[in-house]
Amino acid sequence: MEIEQSLRLPQVIAITGLSRSEIYRRIQAGLFPKQTRKSHRVSVWRSSEIKAYQEAVFGA
């Protein structure tokens, strides 16, 4: 069983290869997992959701 990690935007960019603007564009279109707010200035994504996105889109 994998431990759930919280990923910050730079990590999500590095993993997916998408730009910041493309990530937010896809979130608005419902094509990318939404981030979770941890505080006023901190947003994170669940690593499992990013992994599921990659598998669905890229077959990774």
Side-chain angles (χ1 to χ4, degrees):
M1 179 178 182
E2 286 189 39
I3 297 174
E4 183 69 46
Q5 292 182 330
S6 295
L7 304 173
R8 300 282 305 270
L9 183 59
Q11 295 170 301
V12 175
I13 291 170
I15 291 169
T16 62
L18 299 172
S19 68
R20 176 187 184 277
S21 58
E22 184 61 24
I23 288 171
Y24 286 112
R25 195 175 297 122
R26 290 183 186 200
I27 289 171
Q28 288 297 315
L31 302 173
F32 196 84
K34 289 187 177 182
Q35 71 275 35
T36 302
R37 284 260 192 224
K38 290 292 183 184
S39 71
H40 175 68
R41 296 182 56 163
V42 177
S43 294
V44 297
W45 285 260
R46 292 181 178 172
S47 59
S48 61
E49 291 180 351
I50 299 303
K51 183 178 178 180
Y53 167 81
Q54 284 185 300
E55 290 173 355
V57 173
F58 303 112

